[in-house]
């Protein structure tokens, strides 16, 4: 198989996993948030975006493989959230273990909220 198409195969297979016996979208969601923090998601997406915008010639192969793996897992996460929504699966009562502690997540949200409020006030003045 052509290498170009071989790289796309995991992305295609992510769409077909939902038909496997025992597919559990909640397990996919739990596994993702157990493994990745919101900060890691932000960094991976930002790095890929910057590499496209900056058109960087230097490619760290191990880093590139991590990002490739991340985007496949991210695609599986989005499909799992879609299946939860489509099948109307109750997710509210489900307990999740997160890669970060609740305190870290709360602190990050509070800091980002303050930054948003600051720039919102500045924007309203002009």
């Amino acid at each position: 198989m052509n290498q170009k198409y071989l790289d796309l195969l995991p992305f295609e297979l992510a769409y077909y996993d939902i038909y496997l016996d025992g597919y559990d979208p909640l397990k996919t969601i739990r596994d993702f948030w157990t493994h990745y923090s919101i900060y890691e998601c932000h960094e991976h997406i930002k790095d890929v975006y910057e590499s496209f915008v900056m058109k960087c010639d230097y490619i760290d192969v191990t880093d590139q493989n991590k990002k490739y793996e991340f985007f496949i897992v991210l695609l599986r996460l989005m499909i799992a959230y879609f299946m939860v929504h489509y099948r109307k699966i109750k997710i509210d009562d489900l307990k999740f273990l997160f890669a970060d502690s609740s305190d870290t997540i709360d602190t990050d949200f509070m800091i980002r909220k303050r930054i948003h409020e600051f720039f919102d006030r500045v924007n309203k003045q002009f």
Side-chain angles (χ1 to χ4, degrees):
M1 180 181 277
N2 186 332
Q3 183 63 37
K4 175 172 75 172
Y5 299 118
L6 191 60
D7 289 341
L8 294 175
L9 187 60
F11 287 100
E12 288 297 319
L13 290 175
Y15 286 98
Y16 293 101
D17 283 352
I18 63 173
Y19 301 107
L20 294 174
D21 287 335
Y23 173 75
D24 182 9
L26 296 177
K27 181 183 179 327
T28 303
I29 294 168
R30 262 193 307 268
D31 291 348
F32 181 88
W33 290 117
T34 301
H35 188 265
Y36 292 100
S37 69
I38 192 72
Y39 175 77
E40 286 176 295
C41 294
H42 175 267
E43 289 302 306
H44 282 306
I45 293 169
K46 180 182 68 110
D47 289 347
V48 170
Y49 175 76
E50 286 176 352
S51 70
F52 282 120
V53 170
M54 307 279 193
K55 297 189 171 108
C56 181
D57 292 334
Y58 171 73
I59 297 174
D60 181 359
V61 175
T62 56
D63 194 45
Q64 185 179 18
N65 288 339
K66 285 180 189 176
K67 286 176 184 29
Y68 178 77
E69 178 185 319
F70 169 77
F71 276 100
I72 291 171
V73 175
L74 184 65
L75 175 61
R76 290 178 188 278
L77 175 73
M78 291 189 308
I79 293 168
Y81 275 120
F82 172 79
M83 294 307 294
V84 165
H85 174 73
Y86 182 73
R87 293 181 180 164
K88 296 176 178 37
I89 298 172
K90 295 291 280 175
I91 195 171
D92 297 340
D93 299 330
L94 195 64
K95 300 289 184 221
F96 287 101
L97 292 175
F98 292 102
D100 283 337
S101 70
S102 296
D103 293 339
T104 304
I105 294 170
D106 289 341
T107 302
D108 185 56
F109 280 147
M110 205 162 4
I111 290 169
R112 290 176 190 274
K113 182 180 178 190
R114 287 182 192 154
I115 293 169
H116 176 269
E117 288 170 348
F118 171 77
F119 284 110
D120 191 44
R121 283 192 311 269
V122 171
N123 188 35
K124 286 179 182 178
Q125 290 178 357
F126 294 103

